[in-house]
């Protein structure tokens, strides 16, 4: 029997053309197929959004802006800067609630978290995505990894972040160099394993802990944090530091209860035995 190549039908699309459409060229030597969603929680950030959107790469699949009941032109500015932006209204309050709302609205396979204050450089997204398509489940931004940096942390905040990071590493077996940083990326299916349920700034810490507890593969990405361009941050070092500590303690207690419960479970034999 002989084989031969069948010519394509005149009305049939060339499969190579379809494949090339599915790929998103990132640079002259790198392209990806997974669609990337960028989630930006924002409340009264109209002045900062031009700086944020200017750095976003044009190859991303979608931008999801979660509006926290802004009283300025945040939504109008976002739509002008990125005509296809998906705007989602936040019903609750807090950064954690905004991110959870945004994640639910994403349609991409990869989700990237970006702050709306201009402190994050969108051109770094390629590093996060590269880590994920290379095998990581969670790409975690770090201001203190080699190559990272920050212009926006006071000495007391640096100390607090270092102490809390050390506690998480010791208690959960992590190897983080940064804990409270909101520039991260992950495969969307990871959300099924970390079950986010907090509303405030402590959401990043909760994600970092539950990623480790779920056994997901983490890769830190050196990132530079810039100063907020306009306005004042809602972050309060002492108040939010205490909330972060409460999350750490609660997750540690939950882990101990789970370990104790697993030790109490009866051993069941007989599966696969012949009678």
């Amino acid at each position: 029997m002989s084989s031969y190549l069948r010519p394509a039908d005149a009305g049939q699309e060339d499969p190579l053309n379809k494949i090339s459409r599915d790929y998103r060229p990132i640079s002259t030597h790198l392209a990806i197929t997974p669609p990337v969603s960028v989630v930006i929680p924002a409340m009264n950030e109209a002045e900062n959004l031009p700086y944020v959107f200017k750095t976003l790469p044009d190859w991303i699949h979608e931008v999801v802006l979660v509006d926290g009941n802004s009283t300025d032109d945040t939504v109008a500015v976002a739509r002008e800067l990125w005509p296809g932006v998906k705007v989602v209204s936040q019903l609750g309050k807090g950064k954690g609630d905004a991110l959870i709302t945004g994640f639910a609205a994403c349609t991409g396979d990869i989700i990237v978290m970006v702050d709306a204050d201009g402190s994050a450089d969108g051109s770094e997204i390629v590093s996060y995505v590269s880590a994920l398509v290379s095998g990581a489940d969670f790409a975690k931004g770090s201001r203190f990894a080699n190559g990272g940096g920050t212009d926006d942390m006071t000495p007391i905040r640096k100390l607090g972040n270092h102490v809390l990071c050390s506690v998480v590493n010791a208690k959960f077996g992590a190897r983080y160099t940064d804990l409270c940083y909101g520039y991260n990326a992950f495969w969307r299916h990871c959300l099924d394993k970390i079950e986010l349920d907090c509303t405030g700034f402590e959401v990043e810490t909760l994600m970092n802990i539950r990623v480790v507890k779920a056994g997901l593969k983490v890769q830190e990405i050196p990132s530079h944090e810039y100063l907020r361009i306009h306005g004042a941050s809602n972050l309060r070092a002492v108040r939010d530091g205490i909330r972060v500590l409460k999350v750490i303690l609660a997750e540690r207690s939950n882990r101990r209860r789970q370990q104790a419960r697993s030790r109490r479970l009866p051993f069941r034999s007989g599966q696969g035995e012949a009678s």
Side-chain angles (χ1 to χ4, degrees), residues 43-115:
M43 184 175 69
N44 298 328
E45 298 284 9
E47 291 185 286
N48 290 322
L49 289 184
Y51 301 91
V52 177
F53 280 82
K54 181 175 64 176
T55 67
L56 295 180
D58 57 8
W59 47 262
I60 60 178
H61 166 64
E62 67 181 351
V63 175
V64 177
L65 181 90
V66 184
D67 178 49
N69 302 304
S70 298
T71 56
D72 65 0
D73 295 328
T74 290
V75 173
V77 169
R79 285 176 170 153
E80 180 180 353
L81 294 169
W82 201 280
V85 66
K86 181 185 291 186
V87 177
V88 182
S89 297
Q90 181 181 357
L91 299 180
K93 293 182 178 181
K95 185 177 183 180
D97 180 83
L99 286 173
I100 293 170
T101 301
F103 296 160
C106 289
T107 59
D109 295 331
I110 290 175
I111 299 176
V112 184
M113 305 156 47
V114 176
D115 287 340

Side-chain angles (χ1 to χ4, degrees), residues 72-199:
D72 65 0
D73 295 328
T74 290
V75 173
V77 169
R79 285 176 170 153
E80 180 180 353
L81 294 169
W82 201 280
V85 66
K86 181 185 291 186
V87 177
V88 182
S89 297
Q90 181 181 357
L91 299 180
K93 293 182 178 181
K95 185 177 183 180
D97 180 83
L99 286 173
I100 293 170
T101 301
F103 296 160
C106 289
T107 59
D109 295 331
I110 290 175
I111 299 176
V112 184
M113 305 156 47
V114 176
D115 287 340
D117 58 5
S119 62
D121 183 357
S123 65
E124 293 180 359
I125 289 177
V126 63
S127 298
Y128 289 82
V129 172
S130 296
L132 294 175
V133 298
S134 297
D137 297 307
F138 190 85
K140 182 190 178 311
S142 173
R143 296 161 291 187
F144 305 112
N146 187 25
T150 178
D151 301 330
D152 194 31
M153 287 190 78
T154 61
I156 187 64
R157 283 181 57 199
K158 284 185 180 180
L159 176 61
N161 185 71
H162 175 72
V163 171
L164 293 171
C165 187
S166 298
V167 172
V168 168
N169 288 342
K171 299 299 183 182
F172 298 95
R175 292 184 294 178
Y176 294 138
T177 60
D178 197 353
L179 184 67
C180 308
Y181 190 40
Y183 200 174
N184 304 299
F186 52 91
W187 292 99
R188 186 173 59 173
H189 62 74
C190 294
L191 292 171
D192 297 331
K193 300 180 180 179
I194 59 179
E195 299 179 3
L196 301 177
D197 53 7
C198 68
T199 60

Side-chain angles (χ1 to χ4, degrees), residues 245-257:
L245 181 59
K246 287 181 178 179
V247 164
I248 295 172
L249 296 176
E251 289 300 302
R252 179 60 177 169
S253 298
N254 290 340
R255 188 182 188 188
R256 285 175 174 172
R257 284 197 294 269

